[in-house]
Amino acid sequence: MKQAIGKLLWWFEERLELRTSLWTVMRHPIPRDLRTQVGWLYVFGSTAMTLLVLQIVTGIGLGMVYVPSAGEAYESLEHINYNVELGWMLRAIHNWSANGMVVLVVVHMTQVFLMGAYKYPRELTWMIGVVLFLLTLGMAFTGQVLRWDADSYWGLGVGVAMVGRIPYIGPELVELMLGGPTVGADTLSRFFALHVFVMPGLLFASLTVHLYLVVRKGISEPPKPDDLVDPETYVEKYEEKLKTGDPFFPDVFLRDAAFIGLTLLVIVGMSAILGPDGPGAPPDPTLLAVEPLPDWYFLPAFAVLALSPPSLETGIILIAPVIIVAIMFLFPVFAGKGQRSPRRRPVAVLIVIGCFLSYCVLWQLGVQEPWSPHMTAWSGVPVPTHMIKGRSPKELQGAAILQEKTCRNCHALDGQGGQRGPDLTVVATRLTRDQLIRQVVQGGGNMPAYGKELNRFEVEALVSFLETLKPEGYASAEASVVTDRAD
Amino acid sequence: MNSQSGEPPTMETATTRRGFMEWFSWALLGLGSVAMAIPILGFFLGPILKPRADEWVDFGPLTDFPQNSTRLVDVLNPLRGANDGMTGKVAAYVRRIEGETFQIFSTHCTHLGCPVSWFKESGLYMCPCHGGVYYEDGGHASGPPPRGLYEFEHRVEKDRLMVKLGHLPTLQDPGSAHVSGKNS
Ligand code: FES
């Protein structure tokens, strides 16, 4: 029996010759220095790749039930969530694994950047890596569209508005993107084709080249300070290291195995506990009481769009991404030699810290959206009681007008309400009566003019209420301070 | 077959024949590829090769729109496809100033296309995304939008309000009321 199996295996080996091909690749030597703790930093790439495989597997599963038709996609997602056995779980895994993939790709890139692993002779590996990063983001965006809910509908609207700003050919590109003059069945189908055929194909093709380069050029040894990369001598030195190297499989792979296992556990756990993402409100263009938000990783971009000055905005939308990608892509061409260790590359470390800090700050802003009116504050957030206690009827009328005229959507009282305009809790200490009237009637800064919406009695009442808004014992704003403005 | 019976071809005839074959093969490949590429490219460029213009839609009798008021109207998009489902609907704000003077606004913010909400209490449109605000007449009041709301062309026909719309308005291709609109 044993002999028969051996014979059979040999029959295949004679034809496949795996011992001299695949097996040598699996056993390719890895520098010994990876044996130390630092070896744990080398596990992110393989884990991101594993998640890609997981995406393919779960994606195939979803593809068997999802209906990529604008009229039915939403219902089919609910069908997967509620009717299909474990459908909710598969959607959850697909979602959390996608999130994980974005995170791991970024972590992997950061590690490669900090350890100077993109330098000679691995520049091309990095460049293909940048392509893989962009494709991962592309998959994230197209995947978000397939969720076909209100966020996805209005998210497309935002995409259209950006593409539509491209000079000359903007409108044509919009029609190509949507597959017609408006968001509809052809739009969903083409994003489906992108998400399911085009981008995975490109991902696999790029990944193949990336892996080929990783194996051919070898895994970079952990950098030592002042061990400079010199294209003349690097290869020789590296090959010397490999003589004492450990085989990738199974020795070095053990760490990858452990981290991949952990990651899979985390994703299964998160999926089981947090469940799938959406679909949210239906993609109905006539339901306007929605506040579209992109998925979390795009929130900083969302914040940039809110904060950039209108005059620069089109430039920021259209040109900045091109510059950023070009810098990322060409970086190793300009910095492909010399120091690799982060200890000797303070600028590289600062760049990474700067990027992460600005990302986090913008992300935080994107979550809070201080620039957005709170659409329900006028009816949902009452005036604090201590502000109306003991007020005259006219002042009370003013408080009512403040609510009724939706002022609270932009102005907070005691920190409650919109953040778009200044908090009015102590406004009377800042503005005089005349200035208040002027601001209400004519607007100014970010504030619209309310002159046409309020008659003079309403303005009168509103301002007398605003005049009471100051801490006990404080004086009102002095008219003299700003006489030049109150002309 | 010829060479079997007669002399083997001389060097010279062989090169000319090969030259011709070479040229012919490349030309054939080129021709075939171009012939095949035309319909395929044409298919992919379809949406711009055959653009669809906006169409007139019935928004209902004039009596639906009280003087000096603004309301949201839902209609079916005249350019919708058979499988568009609810995305085939479209909404627009109708402002009746007085008599037959109307303004019809798109619900898409001119900044980046988010849905603007109408607050009749303050006479403002507010955008939930980046704080764009517009006045009752569609003019820009505050925030990042680079212009006022997109407007659609309208006319009154047999006491009914007709509006011309369809495509998703963008900065360079705004609503039908803007003469510059490509689709209008
Ligand atoms: S989309 Fe309306 S303000 Fe940005």
Side-chain angles (χ1 to χ4, degrees), chain B residues 68-131:
Chain B
N68 196 9
S69 73
T70 298
R71 55 167 287 227
L72 186 68
V73 177
D74 301 350
V75 290
L76 288 175
N77 190 325
L79 304 187
R80 73 188 179 282
N83 303 315
D84 281 1
M86 61 181 104
T87 53
K89 296 200 271 182
V90 64
Y93 288 108
V94 174
R95 174 186 185 215
R96 185 169 192 183
I97 303 171
E98 68 174 343
E100 296 194 352
T101 327
F102 285 84
Q103 271 185 307
I104 324 290
F105 299 112
S106 160
T107 55
H108 286 268
C109 182
T110 57
H111 177 227
L112 288 171
C114 284
V116 294
S117 291
W118 165 245
F119 288 88
K120 74 168 186 305
E121 297 77 11
S122 49
L124 295 173
Y125 295 93
M126 296 190 192
C127 174
C129 284
H130 317 103

Side-chain angles (χ1 to χ4, degrees), chain A residues 71 154 158 160 164-166 175 181 185 283-285 288 313 371-372 375 378 404-406 420 446 448-450 453, chain B residues 47 83-84 86-87 89 93 108 111-113 119 121-122 124 126 128-131 135 142-143 167-168 170 172 183:
Chain A
W154 295 101
V158 171
V160 160
R165 289 187 181 215
I166 295 174
E175 299 225 339
D284 184 334
L288 304 178
E313 190 164 62
W371 51 78
S372 282
M375 307 297 251
W378 69 289
E404 153 97 13
K405 295 295 177 183
T406 66
R420 173 99 182 125
N446 269 326
Y450 283 81
E453 288 309 317
Chain B
N83 303 315
D84 281 1
M86 61 181 104
T87 53
K89 296 200 271 182
Y93 288 108
H108 286 268
H111 177 227
L112 288 171
F119 288 88
E121 297 77 11
S122 49
L124 295 173
M126 296 190 192
C129 284
H130 317 103
Y135 288 117
S142 167
H167 80 282
L168 197 66
T170 53
Q172 293 183 77
N183 281 329

Side-chain angles (χ1 to χ4, degrees), chain A residues 327-374:
Chain A
I327 291 178
M328 282 173 78
F329 194 77
L330 294 176
F331 197 77
V333 178
F334 298 108
K337 287 188 285 204
Q339 291 285 3
R340 280 190 52 207
S341 168
R343 289 174 205 280
R344 295 284 183 276
R345 291 164 55 231
V347 177
V349 176
L350 279 179
I351 292 177
V352 169
I353 295 178
C355 287
F356 274 90
L357 274 185
S358 28
Y359 186 89
C360 290
V361 169
L362 287 171
W363 190 79
Q364 182 63 26
L365 282 171
V367 172
Q368 291 175 341
E369 296 187 82
W371 51 78
S372 282
H374 288 200

Side-chain angles (χ1 to χ4, degrees), chain A residues 54-202:
Chain A
L54 183 60
Q55 288 305 82
I56 303 281
V57 174
T58 49
I60 290 174
L62 295 175
M64 298 194 302
V65 213
Y66 180 69
V67 183
S69 155
E72 287 148 283
Y74 188 81
E75 282 76 11
S76 82
L77 287 170
E78 303 227 294
H79 173 63
I80 298 175
N81 275 356
Y82 298 115
N83 301 336
V84 176
E85 183 68 15
L86 285 176
W88 64 275
M89 186 66 180
L90 211 69
R91 280 200 67 228
I93 296 175
H94 198 70
N95 173 62
W96 294 110
S97 159
N99 283 296
M101 208 173 133
V102 173
V103 172
L104 281 167
V105 167
V106 171
V107 172
H108 177 52
M109 286 179 95
T110 311
Q111 176 259 330
V112 165
F113 181 78
L114 279 177
M115 293 175 67
Y118 59 86
K119 298 201 177 203
Y120 180 88
R122 303 187 180 84
E123 299 97 322
L124 195 58
T125 323
W126 166 273
M127 291 172 164
I128 306 280
V130 172
V131 173
L132 285 167
F133 167 68
L134 296 177
L135 284 169
T136 306
L137 291 186
M139 286 300 276
F141 181 75
T142 51
Q144 193 181 310
V145 170
L146 299 195
R147 207 187 295 136
W148 211 239
D149 54 10
D151 275 352
S152 126
Y153 178 87
W154 295 101
L156 277 171
V158 171
V160 160
M162 289 192 193
V163 172
R165 289 187 181 215
I166 295 174
Y168 307 114
I169 52 168
E172 278 72 23
L173 289 181
V174 165
E175 299 225 339
L176 276 186
M177 174 182 161
L178 296 182
T182 168
V183 176
D186 292 351
T187 317
L188 177 57
S189 295
R190 62 185 49 211
F191 276 88
F192 183 75
L194 279 176
H195 188 77
V196 174
F197 303 118
V198 182
M199 287 191 173
L202 292 175

